[in-house]
């Protein structure tokens, strides 16, 4: 009875699927022959040096090929995902003969050409993501030449991703109605393409670095006002923004030639980047424009323009701001008290302006503030101390701050970078500097990638820090006294610059503990004594300057120090040894080699390191052997047999020698 029921059920299943040709004895759905042929045509144009497509053969079912996904019921190909497979060659658009293709991603490869089949393409209106947003992603390749019209004759295509290619042909005017256009690095200019104005359903427009230099005035601004996200950055667009109102939520217009006063913005705007343009005039038309409802602005970047006048005192309208960049302009005057109302700020950048007065702003209640950059201004008075405990990066250099380094800075437990260079500070370095735990620990901090200029390794460098950089720069002040040993306890510092001050005394041998130090500048001070031998153990040191002090004795031996140019030791007449041309002699006092390695004050440090190294070496060697024998049974048996063999040989040798000795005496 059971076998009859099973047979009837089998017949029923076969009957329901017979019209699809799916009732086969092994119940396996094989891919459609037309889909397989289209894939093989595409495969012929692919250069596969990385051998990422070994399964693409004529013998195997194409539904088993890498990157190919088929419908479990029909056997038709629905997805092709070859993202980041290091493929090269041509993309043959025979792929669009796959009637039920619902996902196509060939991004992050090295394809150079789009090839259309010579015969007529079928109509494919089913190309879409699983969430029904139609999309083709060919981004991050090296595609060149014009885009074939066949690619753009898909009427339901709503998202076309061609960014980061080398397309140099014109874009066909007819694209259908899209919701997203990703066309960065395409040759769309010099005039903004007229066909884009037909895209009335567009919500995302990305055309950065597309050689656009002009726009159709009022028509353009009316069009983009209805688009949620607009990216026009890194073109050369020239247009006057005076009296223009921006309405999109996300707006990137940086690195262009926009002129005029700052535009007005609606309460919809969340992100606005107008940096690196030629905008002029005051900030007040933007910042003091009270909106009808609470605004949403979270990110504002108006840096690197020609903005003038003071910073207006009306920031209470922008309490949602998290990121504020106003650096590299011509702003003057004082920082207004309403800035303290920006309680959600994470980044505040006023650097490279002409702001002045005492920076008395109380920022201690802005509990998310992590980064402040007010370098290259004319601020005076004492170093500002009303900072939140969340502060990680303080860049206060190139101002007119005076007085001592306030010990209150030592309470900023999250601080990982402190720059006070080129001010008028005096007095000693507070010993509490060692209370900055983050400068001494290797744990990465999680924050927005801060971008800034930093004088490091003898030159001004652009940095983008992701929470790993540790720096302390107190250079070019009037600081005095000895360098406290606590400075050298900040063992995670990568850059330490104390140059151009009036420091005296010797360098502590504890400097050898700063194993992560890449840049050390102690030049132009009044330091004396021998250079500690421990400094030669800082293996990552790529920049060193000890010039113009009063150091004496032999420069410590070691490939690290001898590899530097002799100029880093200049201005120390008592120094000798490589890389200086002055050789050390017996009359050089403490400069001879035997004294350097025998009688100097670094001996306890070196001895401790020696014993520590011996202990670690013994432990590693012992457990490397015993651990292997303990874990590997076969090795253990071989080793024991070897020991037995050695014991037998020794026994035979001893017995033979004993008998020989006895025979001789007899």
């Amino acid at each position: 009875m059971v076998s009859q029921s099973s047979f009837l059920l089998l017949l029923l299943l076969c009957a329901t699927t017979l019209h699809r040709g799916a009732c086969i004895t092994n119940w396996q759905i094989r891919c459609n022959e037309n889909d397989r042929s289209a894939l093989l045509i595409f495969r012929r144009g692919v250069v596969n040096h990385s051998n990422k497509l070994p399964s693409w053969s004529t013998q195997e079912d194409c539904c088993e090929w890498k990157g190919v996904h088929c419908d479990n019921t029909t056997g038709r190909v629905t997805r092709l995902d070859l993202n980041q497979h290091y493929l090269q060659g041509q993309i043959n658009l025979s792929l669009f003969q796959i009637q039920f293709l619902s996902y196509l991603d060939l991004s992050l490869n090295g394809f150079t050409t789009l090839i259309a089949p010579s015969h007529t393409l079928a109509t494919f209106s089913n190309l879409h993501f699983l969430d029904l947003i139609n999309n083709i992603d060919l981004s991050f390749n090296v595609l060149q030449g014009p885009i074939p019209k066949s690619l753009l004759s898909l009427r339901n295509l709503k998202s076309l991703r061609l960014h980061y290619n080398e397309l140099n042909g014109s874009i066909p005017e007819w694209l259908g109605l899209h919701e997203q256009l990703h066309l960065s690095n395409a040759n769309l200019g010099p005039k903004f393409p007229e066909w884009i104005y037909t895209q009335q359903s567009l919500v995302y427009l990305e055309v950065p670095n597309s050689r656009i230099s002009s726009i159709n005035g009022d028509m353009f601004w009316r069009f983009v006002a209805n688009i949620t996200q607009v990216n026009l950055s890194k073109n050369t667009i020239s247009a006057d923004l005076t009296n223009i109102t921006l309405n999109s939520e996300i707006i990137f217009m940086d690195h262009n030639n926009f002129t005029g006063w700052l535009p007005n913005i609606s309460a919809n705007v969340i992100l606005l980047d107008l940096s690196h343009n030629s905008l002029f005039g005051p900030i007040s038309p933007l910042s003091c424009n009270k909106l009808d409802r609470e605004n949403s602005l979270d990110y504002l970047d108006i840096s690197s323009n020609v903005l003038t006048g003071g910073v207006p005192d009306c920031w209470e309208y922008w309490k949602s701001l998290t990121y504020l960049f106003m650096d590299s302009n011509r702003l003057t005057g004082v920082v207004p008290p309403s800035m303290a109302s920006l309680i959600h700020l994470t980044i505040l950048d006023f650097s490279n302006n002409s702001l002045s007065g005492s920076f008395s702003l109380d920022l201690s209640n802005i509990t998310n503030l992590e980064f402040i950059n007010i370098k290259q201004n004319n601020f005076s008075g004492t170093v500002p101390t009303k900072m939140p405990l969340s502060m990680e990066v303080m860049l206060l250099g190139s101002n007119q701050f005076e007085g001592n380094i306030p010990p209150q800075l030592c309470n900023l437990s999250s601080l990982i970078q402190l720059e006070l260079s080129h001010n008028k500070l005096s007095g000693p370095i507070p010993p509490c500097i060692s209370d900055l735990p983050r400068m001494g620990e290797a744990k990465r901090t999680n924050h927005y990638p801060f971008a800034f200029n930093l004088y490091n390794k003898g030159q001004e460098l652009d940095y983008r820090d992701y929470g790993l950089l540790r720096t302390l720069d107190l250079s070019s002040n009037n600081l005095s006294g000895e360098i406290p040993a606590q400075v050298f306890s900040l063992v995670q510092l990568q850059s330490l610059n104390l140059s151009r001050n009036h420091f005296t005394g010797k360098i502590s041998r504890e400097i050898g503990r700063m194993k992560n130090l890449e840049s050390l500048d102690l030049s132009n001070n009044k330091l004396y004594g021998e250079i500690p031998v421990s400094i030669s153990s800082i293996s990552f040191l790529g920049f060193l300057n000890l010039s113009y002090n009063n150091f004496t004795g032999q420069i410590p031996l070691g490939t690290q120090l001898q590899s530097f140019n002799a100029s880093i030791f200049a201005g120390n007449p008592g120094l000798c040894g490589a890389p200086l041309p002055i050789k050390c002699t017996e009359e050089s006092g403490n400069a001879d080699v035997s004294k350097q390695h025998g009688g100097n004050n670094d001996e306890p440090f070196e001895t401790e390191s020696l014993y520590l190294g011996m202990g670690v070496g013994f432990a590693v060697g012992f457990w490397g052997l015993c651990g292997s024998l303990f874990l590997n049974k076969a090795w253990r048996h071989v080793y024991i047999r070897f020991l037995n063999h050695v014991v037998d040989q020794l026994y035979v040798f001893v017995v033979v020698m004993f008998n020989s000795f006895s025979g001789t005496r007899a």
Side-chain angles (χ1 to χ4, degrees), residues 570-602:
N572 294 280
L575 281 179
C576 62
L580 292 174
I582 305 172
K583 293 184 178 181
C584 297
T585 63
E586 292 292 337
E587 290 75 22
S588 299
N590 294 332
D592 64 291
V593 176
S594 62
K595 287 183 179 286
Q596 181 190 153
H597 293 280
N600 58 51
N601 60 359
D602 295 327

Side-chain angles (χ1 to χ4, degrees), residues 594-615:
S594 62
K595 287 183 179 286
Q596 181 190 153
H597 293 280
N600 58 51
N601 60 359
D602 295 327
E603 183 177 2
F605 180 84
E606 296 298 319
T607 304
E608 178 184 352
S609 299
L610 175 63
Y611 290 154
L612 179 63
M614 292 174 61

Side-chain angles (χ1 to χ4, degrees), residues 375 453-461 473 495 497 521:
K375 290 173 57 176
N453 294 330
L454 180 67
Y455 189 82
N456 190 20
K457 300 183 180 180
Q459 56 186 323
E460 194 82 17
L461 300 173
D473 189 350
S495 176
N497 191 349
D521 194 344

Side-chain angles (χ1 to χ4, degrees), residues 38 158 181 242 253 273 290 422 447-448 485 500 524 558 578 606:
K158 293 182 179 179
L181 280 179
T242 307
M253 296 167 56
D273 189 347
K290 188 175 181 180
H422 293 87
H447 62 216
Y448 179 87
R500 292 178 171 81
N524 291 276
E606 296 298 319

Side-chain angles (χ1 to χ4, degrees), residues 28 48 59 86 90 107 112 138 140 217 265 271 279 371 379 412 449 465-466 488 542 549 551 614 622:
Q28 182 180 1
N48 184 25
Q59 288 77 26
Y86 309 101
Q90 302 174 344
S107 61
T112 58
L138 305 180
F140 293 95
I265 64 173
L271 183 152
L279 300 170
F371 178 99
F379 290 116
L412 302 178
D465 177 42
Y466 293 87
F488 304 114
N549 282 282
F551 292 120
M614 292 174 61
F622 178 80

Side-chain angles (χ1 to χ4, degrees), residues 406-428:
Q408 293 92 323
L409 295 181
C410 301
N411 297 326
L412 302 178
S413 56
S414 299
L415 199 63
I416 59 175
Q417 295 184 53
L418 177 60
E419 204 239 295
L420 296 172
S421 66
H422 293 87
N423 279 289
K424 299 179 179 179
L425 302 176
S426 57

Side-chain angles (χ1 to χ4, degrees), residues 319-544:
K319 292 183 179 180
S320 60
L321 268 175
T322 304
Y323 307 97
L324 178 56
F325 303 90
M326 303 198 303
D327 52 290
S328 302
N329 281 287
R330 299 178 183 177
L331 302 176
T332 57
V334 299
V335 177
S338 63
M339 295 291 298
S341 65
L342 302 176
I343 58 175
H344 297 293
L345 268 186
T346 298
I347 294 179
L348 178 61
D349 194 339
F350 280 137
S351 62
N352 195 20
N353 280 287
S354 298
L355 299 171
S356 58
S358 174
F359 193 92
S360 57
L361 197 63
D362 187 352
L363 302 176
S364 58
N365 293 322
I366 306 179
T367 56
N368 293 323
L369 189 60
E370 298 174 344
F371 178 99
I372 183 169
N373 187 354
I374 58 174
K375 290 173 57 176
Q376 296 176 295
N377 280 286
N378 294 313
F379 290 116
S380 58
T382 58
V383 174
T385 58
K386 297 178 181 179
M387 299 290 172
L389 296 179
S390 58
M391 184 63 68
E392 297 182 6
V393 178
M394 288 182 64
L395 307 179
L396 313 181
S398 300
N399 280 287
Q400 305 295 321
F401 292 121
E402 55 188 4
N404 295 341
I405 298 176
Q408 293 92 323
L409 295 181
C410 301
N411 297 326
L412 302 178
S413 56
S414 299
L415 199 63
I416 59 175
Q417 295 184 53
L418 177 60
E419 204 239 295
L420 296 172
S421 66
H422 293 87
N423 279 289
K424 299 179 179 179
L425 302 176
S426 57
I429 298 176
C432 67
I433 195 79
S434 59
D435 294 338
L436 297 172
R438 289 292 183 89
M439 284 194 181
E441 66 181 25
K443 183 180 179 181
R444 174 178 177 175
T445 59
N446 296 316
H447 62 216
Y448 179 87
F450 304 141
F452 52 91
N453 294 330
L454 180 67
Y455 189 82
N456 190 20
K457 300 183 180 180
Q459 56 186 323
E460 194 82 17
L461 300 173
D462 293 329
Y463 278 89
R464 183 172 290 272
D465 177 42
Y466 293 87
L468 294 173
L469 195 61
R470 306 288 191 272
T471 65
L472 177 61
D473 189 350
L474 307 178
S475 63
S476 300
N477 281 286
N478 296 314
L479 300 172
S480 58
E482 295 189 0
I483 301 175
Q486 289 86 343
V487 170
F488 304 114
S489 69
L490 304 176
V491 294
Q492 293 299 325
L493 277 184
Q494 291 147 286
S495 176
L496 175 61
N497 191 349
L498 304 178
S499 64
R500 292 178 171 81
N501 281 288
H502 305 291
F503 291 119
T504 60
K506 298 181 178 181
I507 302 177
S508 170
R509 66 182 179 87
E510 295 297 317
I511 194 173
R513 302 174 65 87
M514 305 180 77
K515 301 298 185 182
N516 292 289
L517 206 59
E518 300 175 10
S519 176
L520 174 63
D521 194 344
L522 302 178
S523 63
N524 291 276
N525 280 288
K526 299 177 181 178
L527 301 171
Y528 58 82
E530 295 184 359
I531 300 173
V533 174
S534 60
I535 201 172
S536 62
S537 65
I538 306 177
S539 55
F540 292 115
L541 199 60
F543 176 85
L544 175 66

